[in-house]
Amino acid sequence: MPSQTVSNENAELGVERRYWLFKSEPDVFAYTDLERAPQQTTGWEGVRNYLARNYLRDLVKLGDRVLFYHSRIEPIGVVGVCEVVKEAHPDPSQFDVASHYYDPKSKPEAPTWVQVSIQARFPLKRVVPLAELKSTPGLEKLVVAQKGSRLSITPVTPDEFRIILSLAGHADA
DNA sequence: GCCAACGTTGGC
DNA sequence: GCCAACGTTGGC
């Protein structure tokens, strides 16, 4: 079933919209790159970790909100909000020999890796730095703020999402 | 650039 | 199937 024809499955089930945090190194792909992309949309290619893949494949649904996070390069932190506009489908980079993400073990008839597509919604009024995520009450369990946290796709609770947006100055989040 | 944390690989 | 060695991530 083509994912585009599926309306928000969570909404149909009466399940509350989920929230996620996607990490990206801004010298590879920054939030501003997403804003400049056609329809401000991109396929989130290159996820090569099984737990992150499983989140994308099984739990990330149309309409879910995504916090866009810049890793590695200052200012490290949450920079923008996006929305899932296409659910899991094969990540084309796994079959592209020229791609950094090429995976020779993955076969087109049984793709190992999936991507979702996200569209930019709005940049945060200010970056919420990692240090602040670590020190803010209510974010003690935020996955990305845990020591040694490396997963590039992590769940965020509705409360955590609200708190992070309010830290950025979006009062009515 | 260092290195702690953690995921993956492969010998046995 | 264990686990040591190795590779990668990402904060600092």
Side-chain angles (χ1 to χ4, degrees):
Chain A
M1 179 162 40
S3 58
Q4 280 154 323
T5 65
V6 179
S7 60
N8 188 329
E9 186 179 314
N10 285 343
E12 286 172 8
L13 296 170
V15 175
E16 196 172 351
R17 164 195 293 142
R18 288 193 166 100
Y19 299 90
W20 304 94
L21 182 144
F22 286 14
K23 274 185 201 171
S24 186
E25 300 183 29
D27 55 342
V28 177
F29 192 82
Y31 185 76
T32 51
D33 294 317
L34 181 59
E35 290 182 314
R36 282 194 287 266
Q39 279 87 54
Q40 299 190 35
T41 297
T42 193
W44 199 255
E45 67 173 27
V47 171
R48 295 293 181 268
N49 169 284
Y50 285 101
L51 179 52
R53 189 277 310 266
N54 293 349
Y55 285 145
L56 292 180
R57 187 190 60 194
D58 303 333
L59 297 176
V60 178
K61 298 299 179 187
L62 275 181
D64 282 2
R65 294 290 191 264
V66 174
L67 296 172
F68 197 112
Y69 176 93
H70 283 172
S71 64
R72 291 277 295 176
I73 292 171
E74 293 290 346
I76 292 167
V78 180
V79 298
V81 173
C82 309
E83 181 172 334
V84 175
V85 293
K86 187 177 180 185
E87 294 180 2
H89 51 286
D91 176 348
S93 68
Q94 69 197 303
F95 307 123
D96 178 1
V97 292
S99 171
H100 175 66
Y101 303 118
Y102 175 61
D103 180 357
K105 288 181 294 191
S106 180
K107 303 301 172 200
E109 61 273 19
T112 306
W113 307 109
V114 300
Q115 64 178 15
V116 300
S117 297
I118 63 170
Q119 183 172 49
R121 277 292 167 270
F122 55 90
L124 295 187
K125 292 174 182 172
R126 70 177 188 94
V127 177
V128 179
L130 176 60
E132 212 168 307
L133 299 177
K134 288 181 169 175
S135 65
T136 299
L139 299 182
E140 293 85 356
K141 293 181 177 173
L142 184 71
V143 179
V144 79
Q146 305 305 306
K147 190 179 182 214
S149 176
R150 299 193 315 177
L151 256 195
S152 64
I153 306 287
T154 52
V156 173
T157 68
D159 281 345
E160 288 167 343
F161 185 86
R162 270 190 292 277
I163 291 168
I164 291 166
L165 260 64
S166 76
L167 287 173
H170 299 263
D172 55 350

